């Protein structure tokens, strides 16, 4: 044993009769996931494949990998000890607002900020199309898609590449604050993959952007730690309120807006 370098001790070679790659990890076993994760973490940025396009593929990959029945069971068990989640899922509220609904909100209100930062910038108010939810997990993802841009505003994450880290880390931190570790882990997989392309790619290729990247992660974590379960918020109740009042009403605490436009442009190799 003393002849084996310390960091190499404990390795147990495992034989297999399999003729293809096999692992105890369902993620590593998935060929598309292996290709996707290696590409989005190791690549440099370029105009041929904008960063926002990378998430469509991973959503379909996760649909193939995640055990949806297991996640449903986790939700069902969680509801027995989490009355707020049980009420939220029972109500099944889904937003019905249109772009034109935001034109009349007074300057400074949440509705007006959403109008100027999202609608007038030609962002879609729903980030990706989804079928009408039939399960608890489908409903959770449906609402997450509806509220993502609002979470940018409420957490202080601007609508640039580094700003994406803020709501993503707020989400992950909040999931683990309010749910069992097993359910929080399943619900945070997508947010983690959102993060990896920014954090790993920044460290490898754009270290001059790292301080902004790290600050965005820290700001998101702070909001997640200090806030209530904002992923259950009904934003229609606060569109007419000044932004800080809207945050207070919906349970957001610790948000700090930082302009990441210059760092994000450098990260995207546009500077």
């Amino acid at each position: 044993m003393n002849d084996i370098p310390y960091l190499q001790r404990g390795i147990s070679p495992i034989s297999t009769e399999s003729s293809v790659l096999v692992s105890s990890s369902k993620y590593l076993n998935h060929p598309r996931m292996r290709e996707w994760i290696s590409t989005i973490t190791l690549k440099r940025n370029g105009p041929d494949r904008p960063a926002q396009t990378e998430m469509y593929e991973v959503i379909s990959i996760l649909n193939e990998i995640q055990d949806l029945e297991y996640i449903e069971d986790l939700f069902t068990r969680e509801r027995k000890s989490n009355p707020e989640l049980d009420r939220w899922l029972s109500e099944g509220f889904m937003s019905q607002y249109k772009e034109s609904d935001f034109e009349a909100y007074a300057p400074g209100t949440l509705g007006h900020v959403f109008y100027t930062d999202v609608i007038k910038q030609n962002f879609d108010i729903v980030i990706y199309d989804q079928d009408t939810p039939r399960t608890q997990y489908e409903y959770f993802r449906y609402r997450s898609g509806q509220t993502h841009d609002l979470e940018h505003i409420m957490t202080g994450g601007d609508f640039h590449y580094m700003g994406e880290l803020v709501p993503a880390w707020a989400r992950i931190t909040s999931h683990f604050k309010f749910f069992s570790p097993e359910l929080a882990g399943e619900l945070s997989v997508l947010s983690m993959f959102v993060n990896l392309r920014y954090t790993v790619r920044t460290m490898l290729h754009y270290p001059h952007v790292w301080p902004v990247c790290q600050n965005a992660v820290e700001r998101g974590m702070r909001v997640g730690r200090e806030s209530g379960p904002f992923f259950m918020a009904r934003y229609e109740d606060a569109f007419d309120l000044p932004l800080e009042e809207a945050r207070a009403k919906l349970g957001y605490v610790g948000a700090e807006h930082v302009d990441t436009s210059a760092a994000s442009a450098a990260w995207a190799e546009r500077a």
Side-chain angles (χ1 to χ4, degrees):
M1 176 65 73
N2 291 335
D3 295 333
I4 302 174
Y6 176 74
L7 295 179
Q8 291 185 316
R9 295 175 189 174
I11 296 175
S12 300
I14 298 175
S15 62
T16 176
E17 296 180 0
S18 173
S19 62
V20 296
L21 176 66
V22 61
S23 163
S24 59
S25 167
K26 60 186 179 182
Y27 296 96
L28 184 57
N29 283 336
H30 197 283
R32 289 177 62 207
M33 175 56 77
R34 292 198 302 270
E35 173 65 22
W36 186 86
I37 195 69
S38 63
T39 299
I40 65 105
T41 54
L42 301 179
K43 73 183 289 286
R44 291 184 67 96
N45 292 308
D48 56 316
R49 193 181 185 193
Q52 63 269 21
T53 66
E54 296 161 353
M55 297 313 297
Y56 283 89
E57 185 178 2
V58 77
I59 290 170
S60 66
I61 292 173
L62 288 177
N63 285 338
E64 296 175 2
I65 295 177
Q66 287 190 292
D67 185 339
L68 301 183
E69 291 185 5
Y70 172 64
I71 297 174
E72 284 302 298
D73 182 61
L74 289 175
F75 266 116
T76 299
R77 281 187 273 163
E78 188 79 23
R79 294 177 73 168
K80 295 177 181 178
S81 59
N82 190 330
E84 192 167 6
L85 174 67
D86 183 60
R87 174 194 54 77
W88 182 69
L89 288 171
S90 296
E91 290 178 354
F93 175 80
M94 293 185 286
S95 296
Q96 303 295 327
Y97 50 70
K98 306 181 297 297
E99 294 179 356
S100 59
D101 295 337
F102 293 90
E103 296 176 358
Y105 284 108
T109 62
L110 171 58
H112 186 264
V113 174
F114 187 74
Y115 179 70
T116 57
D117 287 4
V118 178
I119 295 173
K120 291 193 73 174
Q121 300 304 316
N122 293 318
F123 293 127
D124 290 337
I125 59 176
V126 177
I127 58 174
Y128 60 92
D129 293 330
Q130 302 180 79
D131 295 331
T132 301
R134 297 163 297 176
T135 68
Q136 297 166 107
Y137 186 36
E138 286 179 1
Y139 174 71
F140 187 90
R141 294 204 301 185
Y142 190 94
R143 280 300 285 163
S144 297
Q146 285 193 322
T147 63
H148 175 74
D149 284 343
L150 285 159
E151 289 175 18
H152 265 275
I153 296 168
M154 301 297 272
T155 62
D158 64 7
F159 289 90
H160 302 288
Y161 290 121
M162 291 296 105
E164 290 289 346
L165 287 159
V166 182
W169 272 107
R171 271 275 182 164
I172 292 172
T173 308
S174 188
H175 291 165
F176 279 89
K177 180 179 178 180
F178 292 104
F179 294 144
S180 69
E182 293 77 16
L183 179 58
E186 293 289 347
L187 299 181
S188 300
V189 169
L190 180 59
S191 293
M192 180 56 68
F193 285 136
V194 169
N195 286 319
L196 279 178
R197 59 193 174 138
Y198 296 116
T199 53
V200 178
R201 209 181 294 174
T202 299
M203 185 66 76
L204 295 181
H205 303 299
Y206 312 101
H208 54 293
V209 177
W210 181 256
V212 175
C213 177
Q214 180 174 315
N215 176 264
V217 172
E218 292 171 344
R219 287 188 289 119
M221 286 184 172
R222 182 173 66 239
V223 172
R225 283 194 304 268
E226 298 181 5
S227 299
F230 59 81
F231 45 83
M232 301 185 201
R234 187 179 298 200
Y235 291 88
E236 284 81 347
D237 297 339
F239 282 147
D240 61 338
L241 297 178
L243 182 55
E244 289 305 318
E245 291 184 24
R247 284 176 172 147
K249 181 178 181 63
L250 299 180
Y252 282 89
V253 180
E256 175 192 0
H257 178 82
V258 173
D259 181 359
T260 72
S261 57
S264 296
W267 184 86
E269 301 194 14
R270 294 176 181 168

